[in-house]
Amino acid sequence: MSLPNVNPTTTSSWKKLSEHFEEIKNVHMKDLFAKDGNRANKFTIRWDDFYVDFSKNRITEETFKYLLELTDEVKLKDAIESQFSGEIINETEERAVLHTALRAPKTTVFKVEGVNVMPEIYEVKAKIEAFTNDVVNGHLKGYTGKTFTDVVNIGIGGSDLGPAMVVDSLQYYKNQLTTHFVSNVDGDHVNEVIKKLNPETTLFVIVSKTFTTQETLSNANTLKSWFLKFTSEDAIAKHFVAVSTNIKNVKAFGIDENNIFPMWDWVGGRFSLWSAVGLTISLAVGYINFDNLLKGAHKMDEHFKNEDFSTNIPVVLALISVWYNNFFKAESEAVIPYSQYLNQFATYLQQGIMESNGKSVDRNGNPIDYQTGTIIWGEPGTNSQHAFFQLIHQGTKLIPADFIGFKKSLHGNQDHQDKLISNFLAQTEALLNGKTKADVKAEGTSNTLLPFKIFEGNKPTNTLFINKLLPESLGKLIALYEHKIFVQGIIWNIFSYDQFGVELGKQLASKILQEINSSSDNEHDSSTHNLLNYYKENS
Ligand code: F6P
């Protein structure tokens, strides 16, 4: 069975939403709050340690009703069922999409082409656990008998961003190992990391689903050559491990069979941190914390699968995002975590969201005449308040934003925490209410300055208030956005799990690389031709 493929714009709920949009587009949220004292409660979902308030959006109960009707018409329930039951929903690559299986309990059954994949998953998890414990406890040693002090994760895209973001986000839980991430083919990246390494005490984790990615293989080879300046080939088995589906290429690189952590083609790169791709996470924070991250994600999976759509966090956030993207024509969305630990969260989400839903052909293969994937960006508050918030408050663009905060601080400095949370709450309030001419005047502002100091307000936000940054809550948060991506892909009638758009650049880069290294010159536009020659002349 394949995914339903309904053009959302042909549904009756879309028509209702379009008409309703004309009525509501100029309504100020301030008035919606004034009219309904219960608005915040109506539009808040409390679930586990999550408090999700979506009342500061330009929606009414009618909007919400039509958005929920849209989920029926695009057959979202069936699509969720298809995903979780291991159907080949990544049709363009002929694969199932089962990252949810990676975080499910052992007794669950997830089948791919009739075969339960849970035993394999748990075999690999046991391997991750044993390896993590051996490295962290110092049982495994380097070629001179010293325990490991540093771990270098070599990967790019999903093989880098997920582990890097989680390790950074969970640094409070980190053990004695120092972790490094090498991703860019820019040699300065790997060389800067090399400066910090001691070959005797460094473990290299090469992560590449395909084991064909130019950046990762170049970095891995550079690190291997550097390592071999100090020791001989047989030391590689002690210091290099790999995570991949491509066992043949891993072996050809020289990695010992025992040091291979397998993964599967039914795990998409950008959804893979739950697999052995998360090995560096496990090494950095210990297996128990890694497993708790997975347990949290599983809880969110259950919520997503079973909860009524009206109180289903990923579904509701996806619908609100569609409302702005397709009706208000908002181009981008901001994600603002009020936690320095989530510094890399928006960068991580960029791949998940933009690689998945940056598509312009529908599931029937037809060009699309409506908007799909949103542009995603963001930085932690309060820093971002002093950087780009001006544009959100007073610019000409509508930028819906997710504010993510934690009630309790990990280090427990209450003075800082109170200040942080007061900013967290104040910004969404300011974005909602703005500041009227009367307010500005009452402050004694001169008539000349008046227009510059008025804030229109009516800027939408979601507030995700989470109790504490635990590995489990981070797992829930990441899974929430994964499911949001899925829901939006279903609504927009696109395939979210392929990424053919990144291929063209790769192909051309390998052609140009040949030209750089030879006197050959293929056909190029005059701009590329000149730039290439300029590079060849000056390098
Ligand atoms: O950028 C394209 C992409 O295929 C991503 O989807 C993926 O996460 C990344 O490259 C790395 O791929 P691999 O893990 O196969 O090296």
Side-chain angles (χ1 to χ4, degrees):
M1 222 174 78
S2 52
L3 285 175
N5 47 13
V6 179
N7 177 341
T9 63
T10 62
T11 60
S12 67
S13 45
W14 197 275
K15 192 163 174 281
K16 285 185 208 166
L17 284 163
S18 306
E19 286 161 11
H20 171 67
F21 171 73
E22 292 304 321
E23 290 159 16
I24 194 186
K25 64 182 183 197
N26 295 320
V27 171
H28 202 294
M29 285 190 280
K30 222 168 29 178
D31 298 325
L32 298 175
F33 274 94
K35 259 195 244 151
D36 183 357
N38 200 31
R39 180 177 170 86
N41 292 330
K42 260 183 211 157
F43 291 139
T44 291
I45 303 171
R46 297 185 78 145
W47 171 78
D48 256 33
D49 53 342
F50 277 48
Y51 182 111
V52 180
D53 179 339
F54 59 99
S55 63
K56 292 187 182 92
N57 280 297
R58 293 166 74 168
I59 58 167
T60 63
E61 283 173 86
E62 199 181 342
T63 327
F64 199 42
K65 182 171 159 265
Y66 298 150
L67 287 169
L68 290 169
E69 281 177 24
L70 178 62
T71 63
D72 277 343
E73 289 193 87
V74 299
K75 303 193 175 75
L76 178 62
K77 195 87 209 159
D78 295 346
I80 295 173
E81 186 51 41
S82 299
Q83 182 181 32
F84 278 86
S85 57
E87 285 169 26
I88 308 294
I89 64 160
N90 177 357
E91 291 175 38
T92 46
E93 293 180 331
E94 294 179 46
R95 290 172 189 168
V97 177
L98 278 184
H99 46 278
T100 49
L102 300 166
R103 51 224 195 187
K106 203 172 184 172
T107 48
T108 329
V109 174
F110 274 95
K111 286 190 178 170
V112 175
E113 288 165 19
V115 179
N116 182 15
V117 293
M118 294 312 286
E120 274 180 87
I121 291 176
Y122 271 80
E123 211 178 290
V124 178
K125 280 179 88 171
K127 190 168 170 151
I128 297 172
E129 182 175 13
F131 185 73
T132 300
N133 292 341
D134 282 348
V135 173
V136 175
N137 298 336
H139 296 146
L140 275 183
K141 297 191 184 356
Y143 66 92
T144 56
K146 291 185 182 161
T147 55
F148 290 107
T149 55
D150 292 67
V151 176
V152 183
N153 189 94
I154 308 147
I156 197 164
S159 300
D160 165 74
L161 290 164
M165 180 277 289
V166 174
V167 168
D168 201 36
S169 302
L170 297 183
Q171 61 187 274
Y172 179 77
Y173 305 91
K174 268 188 95 218
N175 53 33
Q176 77 282 6
L177 295 169
T178 304
T179 38
H180 312 265
F181 289 85
V182 176
S183 51
N184 201 322
V185 78
D186 177 357
D188 292 342
H189 193 185
V190 66
N191 281 302
E192 282 302 324
V193 171
I194 283 175
K195 274 165 47 180
K196 301 175 194 147
L197 303 178
N198 172 354
E200 294 172 69
T201 57
T202 301
L203 179 69
F204 299 95
V205 181
I206 309 173
V207 188
S208 178
K209 181 177 164 183
T210 55
F211 224 81
T212 56
T213 306
Q214 184 201 51
E215 292 92 332
T216 302
L217 294 183
S218 303
N219 283 322
N221 278 313
T222 299
L223 284 162
K224 186 166 94 170
S225 307
W226 171 78
F227 179 76
L228 288 176
K229 281 189 202 155
F230 305 91
T231 181
S232 56
E233 289 271 347
D234 47 336
I236 288 182
K238 284 187 174 358
H239 287 258
F240 283 77
V241 302
V243 180
S244 187
T245 56
N246 189 342
I247 311 298
K248 192 173 134 254
N249 280 24
V250 177
K251 281 194 195 159
F253 180 86
I255 289 189
D256 194 279
E257 184 134 29
N258 294 325
N259 289 349
I260 304 176
F261 292 77
M263 64 179 294
W264 306 274
D265 70 359
W266 40 263
V267 183
R270 53 194 174 273
F271 301 93
S272 65
L273 68 89
W274 323 99
S275 69
V277 168
L279 181 61
T280 302
I281 303 172
S282 181
L283 290 165
V285 298
Y287 182 78
I288 293 177
N289 284 321
F290 176 62
D291 197 40
N292 284 338
L293 178 88
L294 269 56
K295 286 192 171 118
H298 175 68
K299 279 197 184 166
M300 182 55 81
D301 295 341
E302 291 293 296
H303 168 80
F304 176 57
K305 215 167 54 167
N306 303 321
E307 186 72 30
D308 188 86
F309 287 164
S310 63
T311 44
N312 189 313
I313 305 169
V315 173
V316 168
L317 296 191
L319 291 174
I320 290 173
S321 167
V322 167
W323 177 232
Y324 293 121
N325 186 59
N326 295 89
F327 297 90
F328 282 86
K329 310 285 183 223
E331 292 272 313
S332 76
E333 276 173 27
V335 175
I336 320 288
Y338 274 66
S339 164
Q340 195 56 32
Y341 285 124
L342 297 195
N343 193 26
Q344 296 188 38
F345 194 58
T347 312
Y348 163 76
L349 287 181
Q350 282 177 333
Q351 187 199 11
I353 295 173
M354 291 158 76
E355 198 165 91
S356 300
N357 287 340
K359 310 287 164 64
S360 51
V361 168
D362 72 12
R363 286 200 288 271
N364 297 307
N366 297 324
I368 282 172
D369 61 0
Y370 49 88
Q371 287 293 315
T372 61
T374 45
I375 299 163
I376 195 89
W377 56 286
E379 286 287 327
T382 57
N383 295 15
S384 49
Q385 292 175 197
H386 300 271
F388 54 74
F389 264 51
Q390 167 63 33
L391 188 142
I392 304 184
H393 281 290
Q394 285 190 313
T396 51
K397 293 180 170 58
L398 180 71
I399 302 169
D402 287 353
F403 278 64
I404 303 168
F406 297 92
K407 247 172 104 173
K408 297 195 178 105
S409 124
L410 291 180
H411 285 280
N413 187 328
Q414 204 53 40
D415 171 53
H416 280 263
Q417 179 68 2
D418 292 345
K419 287 173 183 156
L420 176 74
I421 298 302
S422 57
N423 275 281
F424 174 61
L425 301 179
Q427 287 297 330
T428 61
E429 190 175 32
L431 288 163
L432 157 67
N433 289 319
K435 204 169 184 184
T436 63
K437 193 172 175 183
D439 293 338
V440 186
K441 229 175 177 171
E443 286 174 352
T445 308
S446 70
N447 280 344
T448 334
L449 281 183
L450 213 62
F452 305 103
K453 296 204 167 183
I454 293 169
F455 288 57
E456 182 200 346
N458 215 14
K459 311 283 195 249
T461 58
N462 294 306
T463 299
L464 283 75
F465 216 168
I466 303 166
N467 190 44
K468 197 171 170 179
L469 180 49
L470 302 169
E472 191 175 304
S473 14
L474 182 66
K476 290 174 195 166
L477 184 67
I478 301 169
L480 186 172
Y481 280 96
E482 287 181 347
H483 296 315
K484 179 182 168 188
I485 292 168
F486 173 78
V487 173
Q488 294 190 293
I490 295 301
I491 294 176
W492 290 323
N493 198 23
I494 53 178
F495 286 119
S496 298
Y497 296 108
D498 60 25
Q499 58 287 317
F500 297 119
V502 296
E503 293 308 320
L504 178 60
K506 285 188 198 173
Q507 283 163 12
L508 292 185
S510 74
K511 259 185 160 175
I512 291 180
L513 183 61
Q514 280 169 18
E515 289 163 43
I516 288 174
N517 294 324
S518 67
S519 54
S520 73
D521 190 350
N522 289 317
E523 284 270 293
H524 291 290
D525 59 87
S526 57
S527 163
T528 311
H529 174 84
N530 286 354
L531 289 163
L532 176 57
N533 283 326
Y534 174 73
Y535 178 71
K536 284 171 95 164
E537 278 160 27
N538 291 280
S539 60

